[in-house]
Amino acid sequence: MKQCTHTEALPHPEPAPLSETCPECLAAGSHPVQLRMCLECGHVGCCDSSPMRHATEHHKESGHPVMRTFEAGESWRWCFVDHVLV
């Protein structure tokens, strides 16, 4: 079973969210489907079901490997590099 090799290097405690919604969607006048938060820096971006996929774009631009859901009642994490739930 494949495992994430990046969780050990994440900051503790996790960063505070930099916003309450996806700022790129807000600036573009778009509405995110669901939100994700980068566990390296706290950037909040929209999920891949959203038209602009800003959480994935943040990973591509920054190289930050792990994000978590930013939805109430959910607690999962995703590693973009290893392509696994953490």
Side-chain angles (χ1 to χ4, degrees), residues 63-77:
H64 297 163
V66 183
M67 64 88 191
R68 72 167 174 86
T69 179
F70 197 57
E71 295 296 318
E74 296 181 2
S75 61
W76 56 269
R77 297 171 173 205

Side-chain angles (χ1 to χ4, degrees), residues 8-57:
E8 303 260 338
L10 292 172
H12 294 282
E14 72 180 40
L18 297 179
S19 61
E20 292 299 314
T21 191
C22 178
E24 292 89 357
C25 280
L26 192 61
S30 179
H31 298 285
V33 174
Q34 289 192 337
L35 298 171
R36 311 292 181 241
M37 187 184 87
C38 175
L39 290 176
E40 187 80 25
C41 70
H43 176 270
V44 175
C46 59
C47 71
D48 284 357
S49 295
S50 297
M52 298 183 194
R53 304 174 59 173
H54 290 121
T56 296
E57 287 304 311

